[in-house]
Amino acid sequence: MADVNVAARRRGLVIETTTFGPAFRVIARRIPTRRGGGGGGEGDDAAATSSGREVAAEDDEDVIAIHDGFIAPPPFGILHLDSMRVYNSRVRGDTERATMRSVFGISILLGTTSALMARDAGCAKMELLAVDDGNEYAAKLVSYYSRLGFETVRVVGGNGLRDVPDLLVWGGVGTRMNGDLRRLLGKWGGVIRRQNAAAAAAAESRTKDAET
């Protein structure tokens, strides 16, 4: 988890987790650039909001991504990945966009966090539905999850009664995909560690350049 936190902070984010029974929510939140104090602007609005009233994560402009799901420990041993929402419209300007960009995006940080929680609970399998909303994005989503290491199980939709169990569980149509939790954790962890090492090397190089 330490590697995930380092990677998040290098992107100007902090990872937050909440659980309610088997359900979980993982949030990637922008690290505030200012704390308290006067001067007006977004920093003070955020402070006033957090101290004055509750704001749902979906409506919080500092929340960049939300990941929901649940963990079913053995004998089921399944990490159920219900949703992954990244709010690209909340990324401010080219500088922040460049800081947050990575090979697999912010999603890999949230997915690794939930996978670590599931591993500690004794799970061995991950499952998801790459939702098909009837547009060209569906194929891109399947390709993205395949690159992450998931494998296609079946297509949900157009199969009559055979689709009923999946429709009840997932609430929609798309491509059912599974992943071996420990194998994917190893892959994602390697990606995150390499990104951290590259970022650290780049920062050290900039420091040396500034000193010369």
Side-chain angles (χ1 to χ4, degrees):
M1 192 63 197
D3 289 326
V4 173
N5 290 331
V6 169
R9 288 193 170 274
R10 289 192 182 279
R11 291 166 175 76
L13 301 167
V14 61
I15 302 297
E16 303 172 356
T17 61
T18 56
T19 59
F20 185 76
F24 66 82
R25 166 165 285 189
V26 185
I27 291 175
R29 186 186 300 275
R30 177 186 289 110
I31 298 174
T33 55
R34 291 191 294 174
R35 299 182 182 276
E42 293 173 351
D44 293 333
D45 288 343
T49 298
S50 62
S51 61
R53 63 183 177 85
E54 290 287 333
V55 177
E58 290 83 354
D59 300 323
D60 189 337
E61 288 297 315
D62 283 328
V63 171
I64 306 301
I66 301 174
H67 170 36
D68 292 306
F70 65 81
I71 295 170
F76 303 102
I78 296 173
L79 169 60
H80 177 96
L81 306 175
D82 192 47
S83 67
M84 182 78 71
R85 288 163 287 171
V86 179
Y87 301 100
N88 291 313
S89 62
R90 296 178 182 175
V91 179
R92 300 168 182 164
D94 293 338
T95 300
E96 190 171 83
R97 190 170 292 106
T99 300
M100 293 186 183
R101 184 183 298 120
S102 65
V103 175
F104 289 114
I106 298 170
S107 299
I108 194 172
L109 302 181
L110 279 66
T112 300
T113 300
S114 66
L116 287 168
M117 295 164 58
R119 182 199 63 185
D120 292 345
C123 295
K125 174 184 171 184
M126 305 170 71
E127 63 176 21
L128 59 82
L129 177 76
V131 177
D132 186 350
D133 288 327
N135 54 39
E136 69 281 358
Y137 187 68
K140 294 180 180 178
L141 199 58
V142 172
S143 177
Y144 173 76
Y145 285 124
S146 296
R147 287 173 54 217
L148 280 174
F150 288 91
E151 298 179 351
T152 296
V153 177
R154 59 184 167 273
V155 175
V156 179
N159 300 309
L161 293 176
R162 289 171 51 196
D163 287 335
V164 171
D166 283 312
L167 291 172
L168 291 174
V169 171
W170 300 97
V173 300
T175 302
R176 271 281 293 109
M177 308 182 78
N178 287 345
D180 181 282
L181 191 145
R182 290 190 178 275
R183 183 176 66 81
L184 266 59
L185 258 183
K187 177 178 180 177
W188 300 351
V191 170
I192 292 170
R193 285 189 291 273
R194 288 192 295 273
Q195 290 177 350
N196 286 346
E204 183 179 356
S205 178
R206 289 193 296 271
T207 300
K208 289 181 179 178
D209 290 342
E211 292 173 348
T212 58

